[in-house]
Amino acid sequence: MQDRGPRGGDVAKVGRALAAMLDALNPLRNRATLAHANDLLLPNAEAMLVINGIRTVLHYLNAKLSP
């Protein structure tokens, strides 16, 4: 996954930002979703932000790792 094309530095910067986002997901999953018993859940807009962020990373990995 090292070949990032002609703007590799910029793509790497985006990748690091997405990694930071993924790092922030674990506490959200544990404390603000139905994955565990919680009284306070994420509001709809914030939940969609998290879901779409995860989907973006998964789409990228699928495209990058598919033959």
Side-chain angles (χ1 to χ4, degrees):
M1 292 186 37
Q2 292 299 318
D3 181 19
R4 296 183 190 102
R7 300 292 303 194
D10 294 331
V11 174
K13 188 174 182 179
V14 170
R16 286 190 294 276
L18 289 172
M21 179 206 58
L22 291 174
D23 187 49
L25 290 176
N26 198 38
L28 285 173
R29 183 186 65 86
N30 289 338
R31 298 188 196 117
T33 69
L34 295 174
H36 300 281
N38 293 297
D39 292 329
L40 298 174
L41 299 177
L42 286 175
N44 285 343
E46 285 74 12
M48 288 308 299
L49 174 66
V50 170
I51 290 167
N52 286 327
I54 294 167
R55 290 177 67 184
T56 297
V57 171
L58 292 175
H59 284 293
Y60 172 75
L61 290 173
N62 186 54
K64 194 70 173 175
L65 299 175
S66 294

